[in-house]
């Protein structure tokens, strides 16, 4: 398919590469700055653009992969005069209907993964959520998704927002915890790599145990002496905000340990 990619960030970069490897014609990359557009366009061997009015008008698929807060505005500008193609966005928390009234055929292509430009990923194993408004959009988005990944899941906007929320907890918040740990270690000349086997084993355990079964540490037992001492350390080393976060997380972990899971964690999407 001939594709125009609107966005040149982390997700757009990896998706663009995956589409090109799958044999699609990524013909044009748009970004707010020509520098960003040209950087990705050079990788994909296509044309760069920084003016929405100059987007190709004959693409089969247009994929918008930009920050959520700009999606509606950019869609309204970009779709004008290009109603012949199928329009997709890649946002986990934005609804399908952001395109409603702008174009006749539209959908969602949401790869659920954390992306960094500096780190390559195996796109073929990334669960990718799709949604569409009609059969034309369905044919396009499913063909694209199946060409780049082995796991394609139909998921409505209403359910996808909970998936994205869960991903924020499992990825973004967890990574912030890694950063807090890294800062604590660095302040006392302890190398971060001593933490890597622990981090790796924590991630491996949830392949065979539920996260609740895998939970360990002083908060599960509510060892108040340890929690109080560590809270004081957090206050001294990182300030009251992270002290409060430590205490609230400890309380939440302990409360969760006292009751069974609220839902069947083995349920498939």
């Amino acid at each position: 398919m001939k594709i125009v990619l609107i966005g040149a960030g982390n997700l757009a970069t990896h998706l663009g590469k995956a589409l090109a490897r799958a044999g699609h014609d990524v013909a044009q990359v748009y970004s707010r700055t020509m520098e960003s557009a040209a950087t990705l366009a050079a990788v994909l061997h296509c044309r760069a653009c920084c003016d929405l009015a100059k987007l190709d008008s004959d693409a089969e698929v247009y994929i918008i992969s930009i920050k959520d807060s700009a999606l509606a505005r950019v869609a309204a500008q970009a779709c004008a005069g290009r109603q012949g193609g199928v329009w997709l966005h890649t946002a986990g928390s934005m609804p399908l209907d952001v395109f409603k009234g702008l174009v006749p055929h539209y959908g969602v292509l949401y790869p659920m993964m954390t992306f960094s430009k500096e780190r390559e990923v195996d796109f073929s194993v990334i669960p990718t959520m799709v949604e569409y408004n009609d059969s034309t959009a369905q044919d396009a988005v499913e063909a694209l998704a199946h060409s780049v990944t082995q796991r394609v899941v139909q998921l409505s906007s209403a359910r996808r927002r909970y998936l994205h929320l869960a991903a924020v907890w499992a990825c973004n918040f967890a990574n912030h915890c890694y950063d807090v740990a890294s800062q604590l270690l660095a302040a006392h000349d302890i190398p971060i790599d001593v933490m890597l086997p622990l981090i790796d084993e924590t991630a491996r355990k949830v392949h065979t145990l539920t996260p609740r079964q895998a939970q360990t540490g002083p908060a599960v037992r509510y060892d108040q002496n340890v929690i109080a001492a560590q809270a004081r350390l957090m206050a001294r080393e990182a300030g009251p905000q992270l002290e409060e976060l430590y205490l609230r997380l400890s309380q939440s972990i302990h409360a969760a340990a006292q009751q069974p899971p609220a839902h069947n964690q083995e349920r498939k999407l």
Side-chain angles (χ1 to χ4, degrees), residues 145-269:
H146 282 290
S147 73
V148 296
T149 184
Q150 301 168 17
R151 189 172 185 196
V152 179
V153 180
Q154 294 185 22
L155 203 65
S156 68
S157 294
R159 295 179 69 204
R160 192 177 67 254
R161 63 181 180 173
Y162 289 105
L163 178 68
H164 188 254
L165 174 59
V168 167
W169 277 96
C171 174
N172 307 131
F173 288 177
N175 191 71
H176 178 63
C177 291
Y178 298 157
D179 182 53
V180 172
S182 175
Q183 297 303 317
L184 288 170
L185 293 171
H188 296 277
D189 298 318
I190 304 172
I192 182 62
D193 61 8
V194 302
M195 199 68 65
L196 297 181
L198 175 65
I199 290 171
D200 291 342
E201 175 60 14
T202 302
R204 277 194 297 265
K205 283 201 293 186
V206 297
H207 285 261
T208 55
L209 302 173
T210 69
R212 192 161 295 179
Q213 290 170 333
Q215 189 73 61
T216 61
V220 172
R221 303 178 298 272
Y222 217 62
D223 291 338
Q224 292 182 310
N225 57 329
V226 175
I227 292 171
Q230 291 190 337
R232 289 193 295 271
L233 283 178
M234 288 302 302
R236 188 176 72 196
E237 294 291 327
Q241 185 175 17
L242 284 177
E243 176 195 17
E244 179 68 13
L245 180 61
Y246 172 89
L247 289 170
R248 287 187 177 274
L249 282 173
S250 295
Q251 292 163 0
S252 180
I253 290 169
H254 180 66
Q258 306 310 301
Q259 50 190 303
H263 298 285
N264 178 6
Q265 296 189 5
E266 300 303 318
R267 185 175 61 186
K268 302 298 183 181
L269 284 172

Side-chain angles (χ1 to χ4, degrees), residues 4 24-26 34 61 77-78 114 133 140 191 214 219 237:
V4 168
H24 298 289
D25 174 20
V26 183
M34 181 55 76
V61 178
Q77 295 178 44
T114 174
N133 77 312
E237 294 291 327

